Amino acid sequence: MEHIIKLEKISQYNTLKGIETKHPLISVYDNSMTKALPNNSRLHFGFYAIFLKEIHCGELKYGRNNYDYDEGTLVFFGPGQVVEIRHEEDYQPTGLALLFHPDLVKGTALGKQMSQYSFFSYESNEALHLSLREQQIIRDLFGKLEYEINQRVDKHSKRIIANNIELLLNYCVRFYDRQFITRENINNDVLSKFEHLLHNYFHSSTVQELGFPLVGYFANQLNLSPNYFGDLIKKETGKTAQEHIHLKLIDIAKEKIFDKEKSISQIAFDLGFKYPQHFNRMFKKSTGYTPNEYRMLN
């Protein structure tokens, strides 16, 4: 029977893994020296976790998808995520792990920008696949953090630990940028499907049923997390997914405005706006004209 294990402290996770807690807010360890997590359970994370997986190692499930790891895969979990644990009875974990509590980076430069590292809320099919050279960089940074945790705490400890975590996360941003580029064919397919979904949204009853389209709707249709989808679209096109939606909407609105049998208010409702004034503001911001002014000009 599945049960949820709430993990608010690093020490709680360490206890499950059978390892010593050397620092209350951070833990770095070699998974091969630990116990397997409880099988058929669900873990609720209250902290950040980064796992470097070396070989196929069973399944974790987050959201709609399974993590089915290959060698050299880096995966991320953030506070509030729930992960399901599935593995064989004789399973022995491998790889490296870094756990750190949000309190560790509070008051630091890293703490102020943690929200920028969107991969902590990516889904399972969006993990980071590393080259051998990239793996070595990550291993070296894990090693530096482990070394620091094993030292006596002094006035420099928090800054050095936070700086090394920030460096690790910035390398992950770089490696994800590389992955977006090397998976160009897959990304182009996503872009094509996004355009198709956008067209269908505005030319079907969906816009009346759901209202103004949100980024999350299209991410869900493509089986991607909103953050990964948004990052992919931005890196491929230079525009955010929201900007693409707005541009498509304005383009369709311009066509509809030529139909003088429909009022501007009716056009706004047809495009999913509850209030015509919201449509008017968006249209003017995009074109420099109100819908009525644009109609008169044309």
Side-chain angles (χ1 to χ4, degrees), residues 202 207-208 211-213 249 252-253 256 267-273 279:
F202 284 114
V207 68
Q208 300 301 319
F212 186 82
L249 183 146
I252 293 172
K256 289 181 175 289
I267 292 171
F269 291 133
D270 288 346
L271 292 171
F273 288 88
F279 168 63

Side-chain angles (χ1 to χ4, degrees), residues 89-200:
E89 292 303 323
D90 59 350
Y91 161 65
Q92 174 57 50
T94 61
L96 303 177
L98 165 65
L99 315 173
F100 64 97
H101 197 279
D103 289 348
L104 178 74
V105 296
K106 274 188 169 54
T108 68
L110 174 59
K112 296 175 182 177
Q113 60 188 37
M114 278 303 298
S115 61
Q116 297 178 20
Y117 299 107
S118 51
F119 42 75
F120 278 107
S121 55
Y122 285 0
E123 288 214 34
S124 57
N125 55 328
E126 303 154 356
L128 178 57
H129 303 284
L130 302 174
S131 69
L132 290 175
R133 189 173 182 180
E134 290 169 348
Q135 287 181 53
Q136 190 56 55
I137 292 171
I138 298 299
R139 290 176 188 281
D140 289 345
L141 288 166
F142 271 57
K144 288 179 180 179
L145 286 166
E146 185 176 24
Y147 170 83
E148 190 60 36
I149 292 168
N150 286 320
Q151 304 307 301
R152 292 184 62 181
V153 175
D154 59 30
K155 64 180 182 180
H156 305 288
S157 299
K158 182 172 182 177
R159 186 178 75 253
I160 291 173
I161 290 172
N163 286 349
N164 275 284
I165 293 175
E166 183 176 5
L167 181 58
L168 187 152
L169 297 179
N170 287 339
Y171 267 113
C172 292
V173 171
R174 170 186 278 181
F175 298 156
Y176 258 117
D177 283 349
R178 184 269 307 154
Q179 182 163 294
F180 280 122
I181 293 170
T182 56
R183 295 188 168 196
E184 186 176 356
N185 289 339
I186 296 173
N187 296 345
N188 286 338
D189 187 48
V190 171
L191 282 170
S192 177
K193 288 179 179 177
F194 177 36
E195 289 294 336
H196 181 70
L197 287 168
L198 258 178
H199 177 85
N200 286 348

